[in-house]
Amino acid sequence: MLNILVSYFKRTKRTPVRVVVFLCPLLFSFIFTAYLQTSALLRGKEITSFYAVFTILACFSISFFVPMLYDIDKKAGNYANDLRCGIGRIKLFLTRFFFILLLVVAIELVASLPLLTFLLLRGITVSSIHFILCASICPVTFMCLIPIYQFVSLKYSYSGSILVGAISTLTAILLGTTDLGAGIWYFCPFVYPVKLIFGYIRRQFTPTEVLLFLALALFIALVALPLLCFWYNNWDGTTKMEE
C-alpha cells in the first residue's frame, strides 16, 4: 500500500493538486492571521473561529479536490492505470481513500502552523486539548464523506461532485449553524463537520459529546467503505456528465 501511496503522490507533480495542498492553506492562514492582527473582534476565540471558517471552506473544497485527484488518471488513460494494473480494485479504492485523507490532514497542518506561530509570538495561550479537539473535527468527519465523493467523482466526474458539494455545503451551513436542523442533522453525515465545530464553539456540545459524534462518523465510514469498495470492484469504468 505504501508504494501505491507514493505513486499517487508522484502523479500530482506539475498539477494543481500540490498548489491546493501547500499554497492555498498557507494563503488562508495568512489572511486569517492578518485579520487577527488588525481586529480585536475574535480575541479569545482565535482557534475556534479559525477552524469554523476552515471547516466550511473544506466542506465545499473537498467536492472539487477529490475529482481533481482522479482527473489525473482519467486524462492519462481513462483510469486504465488503476483498472488494468493487476492490483485488486478494493485495495486501490482503500489506498486512494487513505491518500485523500492524508492530504486533508496535510492541508490542515499547513494551515494551522502559521496560526499557532502567530498566537505564540503574540503570547496567546493555546490549550492543547482545545486545539486538538477543534483540529480533529474536520479530518475525522471527512472520513465518512471521502468515500462518497470518490463514488460521485468516478461516476459523475467534476460536474456531479461539485453539484453535490454545493448542495451539501449549503445544507450543512443551514442545519449546522441554526436550530432548523434539530432532530434531523443526526441523519446527515455531511452536516457533522459544521454542526460539531459550531456546537462546540457555542458550548452546545461538551468535549465528550463531540468525541461521541466523531466515533459515529468513524462508524459510518467503516460501513460506507466496504459498500463502495464492492461497487468499485464491479465498476465498468464509464463516467457520466462528462465535461
Side-chain angles (χ1 to χ4, degrees), residues 191-225:
V191 179
Y192 288 5
V194 177
K195 186 65 175 181
L196 291 182
I197 188 66
F198 275 88
Y200 182 63
I201 291 172
R202 296 168 179 171
R203 298 184 180 180
Q204 295 173 342
F205 299 137
T206 64
T208 302
E209 289 173 326
V210 172
L211 291 175
L212 287 175
F213 281 110
L214 293 182
L216 177 60
L218 180 59
F219 173 76
I220 294 172
L222 292 176
V223 172
L225 272 170

Side-chain angles (χ1 to χ4, degrees), residues 74 155-160 163 239-243:
K74 181 182 177 182
K155 192 66 178 176
Y156 302 106
S157 195
Y158 270 107
S159 302
L163 179 62
T239 303
K240 298 179 180 179
M241 296 179 70
E242 300 277 4
E243 284 75 26

Side-chain angles (χ1 to χ4, degrees), residues 114-152:
L115 175 69
L116 287 176
T117 303
F118 170 81
L119 295 179
L120 292 175
L121 290 176
R122 291 286 299 271
I124 300 173
T125 303
V126 178
S127 168
S128 57
I129 296 177
H130 180 64
F131 169 75
I132 292 172
L133 188 62
C134 289
S136 300
I137 289 175
C138 187
V140 175
T141 53
F142 272 33
M143 291 179 70
C144 60
L145 301 182
I146 291 172
I148 297 172
Y149 279 109
Q150 286 181 261
F151 163 75
V152 176

Side-chain angles (χ1 to χ4, degrees), residues 163-180:
L163 179 62
V164 171
I167 294 173
S168 63
T169 302
L170 291 174
T171 306
I173 294 172
L174 181 64
L175 300 184
T177 61
T178 68
D179 294 329
L180 294 177

Side-chain angles (χ1 to χ4, degrees), residues 4-38:
I4 304 174
L5 286 172
V6 173
S7 172
Y8 284 156
F9 185 72
K10 288 181 178 179
R11 296 178 197 179
T12 63
K13 189 176 181 180
R14 297 189 182 91
T15 67
V17 172
R18 297 194 182 184
V19 175
V20 173
V21 173
F22 298 108
L23 184 59
C24 289
L26 280 176
L27 182 61
F28 166 73
S29 188
F30 287 142
I31 292 174
F32 190 85
T33 52
Y35 177 77
L36 294 179
Q37 183 73 26
T38 58

Side-chain angles (χ1 to χ4, degrees), residues 8 62-71 79 82 89-101 142-158 160-161 164 221 224-226 228-229 231-232 235 238-239:
Y8 284 156
I62 194 72
S63 69
F64 66 79
F65 185 61
V66 174
M68 183 186 296
L69 292 169
Y70 274 112
D71 195 53
Y79 306 113
D82 278 357
R89 290 194 184 185
I90 293 177
K91 184 177 182 179
L92 290 173
F93 192 88
L94 289 175
T95 306
R96 183 80 72 166
F97 165 80
F98 286 115
F99 179 63
I100 297 170
L101 181 61
F142 272 33
M143 291 179 70
C144 60
L145 301 182
I146 291 172
I148 297 172
Y149 279 109
Q150 286 181 261
F151 163 75
V152 176
S153 299
L154 288 167
K155 192 66 178 176
Y156 302 106
S157 195
Y158 270 107
S161 183
V164 171
L225 272 170
L228 293 173
C229 280
W231 169 82
Y232 185 67
W235 182 48
T238 58
T239 303

